[in-house]
Amino acid sequence: MIYSRIAGTGSYLPEKVLTNDDLVAMGVDTSDEWIRERTGIEQRHVAAEGELTSDLAEKAARKAIEAAGIEAEEIDFVILGTTSSDVVFPSTACKVQAKLGCPGGPALDVNAACTSFMYALSIADQYVRSGASKCALVMGAETLTRMLDWNDRTTCVLFGDGAGAVILKPSEEPGILSTHMHADGNYTDLLHTSVGVSSGFKENEPRAGVKVAMKGNEVFKMAVKTLGQTVVETLEANQMRQSDIDWLVPHQANYRIIAATAKKLKMDMDQVIVTVNQHGNTSAASVPLALDHGVRSGKIQRGQTMLLEAFGGGFTWASAMIRY
Ligand code: COA
């Protein structure tokens, strides 16, 4: 039996940091206290002018390549989860593939909003396990702050920019034990953008009207409920108990959502990788950023078992049980 195994992880955060107080100074009608209490967020990173999603992804990928001890030319499959691609086409994955110098194999973007990296991981896992890929680069990268309306305090305080990456290689040892992907398109109105190539843009608005619109309270409730069901599904699929999991590596949207999922798993918060305080919600980048943080901080050790999960617009949601 061939499994796909994480050979290395990497991540990148733009240099510019925006604290909650910086937002107040920019004129956003909010406070550090409100943001910390409701979300756990203290600061987020913001891409510099001209710094693109592909730039962030490339930097994260290079770190994952180094950690895996491979050469970029060995990569035969490139997949990137993102909602904020550089341009409509070519895909941001194609741009990263060219920057890294590993042409030839397939390169594609996946858009499942905040769940994009989990979808990308699941697809790459299938490629590696089937023998179609011997070395896959899986990334999640976003410049989501470019989609924010800085006059809308209900959304602009939540998001940040960043990128994370993993290299997957075939192995006789597990590896990715299972992945679970889901979507329910009946909830598009709760978290969405209202413009696009097909729908058209708004000429007189900043960034042609591309902005995140969200009914936060309803998204919150759905996220808690759905993620609770997802972790149960993932445990059952692997015939595992809560106590078999060493680490929860959750999507970093809101500390209270993370804590609710940890409670469902009867896990202490010191078994949970938390980066939302430092990064905000980096959408597709949040899980691989948290994973890389967990690995590089020495918390996540080889042989340990971790549960990754995410929830996002669509709605989409997904999980993976992984032996690192
Ligand atoms: N600063 C200060 N006050 C704010 C604010 C801000 N940034 N944003 C909203 N408020 C106000 C609201 O206007 C409201 O005021 P009112 O009671 O006078 O009407 C009050 O705070 C409470 O708003 P509410 O939306 O009920 O707060 P909440 O506890 O639900 O927290 C979120 C709001 C957005 C933090 C929370 O709903 C959330 O995290 N939702 C999930 C979002 C998410 O994860 N999205 C991405 C999924 S991938």
Side-chain angles (χ1 to χ4, degrees):
M1 174 110 172
I2 299 291
Y3 294 94
S4 53
R5 194 155 176 265
I6 296 176
T9 66
S11 62
Y12 175 75
L13 289 156
E15 267 175 42
K16 185 179 171 189
V17 170
L18 204 61
T19 65
N20 294 343
D21 284 333
D22 290 336
L23 287 170
V24 175
M26 279 164 59
V28 180
D29 181 16
T30 189
S31 68
D32 178 50
E33 192 191 2
W34 191 96
I35 302 171
R36 277 178 199 252
E37 260 179 28
R38 304 284 176 129
T39 71
I41 298 167
E42 295 162 23
Q43 61 169 49
R44 72 286 293 143
H45 292 249
V46 177
E49 185 82 32
E51 195 175 29
L52 304 181
T53 297
S54 63
D55 298 323
L56 274 50
E58 180 201 356
K59 287 182 174 138
R62 288 197 186 280
K63 289 192 185 149
I65 288 166
E66 191 188 352
I70 62 153
E71 300 297 329
E73 299 82 62
E74 291 175 50
I75 295 166
D76 58 13
F77 182 70
V78 177
I79 187 162
L80 168 66
T82 189
T83 317
S84 44
S85 51
D86 289 8
V87 289
V88 174
F89 74 89
S91 71
T92 307
C94 278
K95 293 179 86 175
V96 177
Q97 189 209 48
K99 287 180 191 205
L100 294 175
C102 52
L108 68 151
D109 288 356
V110 176
N111 180 350
C114 293
T115 315
S116 300
F117 172 79
M118 298 299 298
Y119 269 48
L121 186 73
S122 178
I123 295 164
D125 176 46
Q126 309 291 332
Y127 268 73
V128 172
R129 281 199 288 124
S130 72
S133 168
K134 296 273 179 279
C135 186
L137 169 61
V138 189
M139 298 166 284
E142 301 275 19
T143 47
L144 212 79
T145 60
R146 304 241 161 91
M147 270 196 231
L148 297 177
D149 174 358
W150 296 103
N151 296 313
D152 178 6
R153 67 178 183 174
T154 66
T155 52
C156 77
V157 303
L158 301 175
F159 296 94
D161 300 332
V166 302
I167 298 290
L168 286 189
K169 294 200 75 175
S171 164
E172 284 173 14
E173 301 285 319
I176 296 182
L177 299 168
S178 72
T179 61
H180 310 267
M181 289 193 284
H182 299 285
D184 186 343
N186 287 305
Y187 295 95
T188 50
D189 284 354
L190 296 185
L191 181 54
H192 67 284
T193 64
S194 56
V195 301
V197 175
S198 187
S199 300
F201 293 94
K202 294 180 182 167
E203 272 176 33
N204 299 323
E205 290 191 17
R207 293 203 178 268
V210 180
K211 59 186 176 194
V212 177
M214 182 177 69
K215 293 189 179 131
N217 218 296
E218 288 171 64
V219 175
F220 186 96
K221 282 186 233 155
M222 278 297 290
V224 170
K225 186 175 144 210
T226 311
L227 289 171
Q229 290 165 352
T230 306
V231 297
V232 171
E233 173 198 19
T234 313
L235 284 169
E236 283 177 2
N238 290 283
Q239 295 175 324
M240 283 182 175
R241 287 173 305 201
Q242 287 107 327
S243 56
D244 295 325
I245 306 171
D246 297 301
W247 293 101
L248 175 65
V249 186
H251 174 46
Q252 310 283 325
N254 184 312
Y255 185 85
R256 292 185 292 144
I257 298 175
I258 296 172
T261 311
K263 196 173 167 201
K264 181 90 186 170
L265 285 166
K266 298 192 172 69
M267 291 177 90
D268 291 336
M269 284 310 287
D270 58 11
Q271 288 178 276
V272 183
I273 306 296
V274 177
T275 54
V276 69
N277 55 329
Q278 298 298 302
H279 304 169
N281 181 351
T282 56
S283 184
S286 105
V287 172
L289 263 165
L291 175 61
D292 188 50
H293 176 78
V295 168
R296 285 177 195 260
S297 64
K299 288 180 172 174
I300 299 172
Q301 298 284 326
R302 284 284 175 200
Q304 288 188 321
T305 302
M306 53 191 182
L307 197 160
L308 277 52
E309 47 85 339
F311 179 91
F315 287 134
T316 54
W317 62 100
S319 63
M321 190 73 87
I322 300 177
R323 189 147 308 137
Y324 179 61

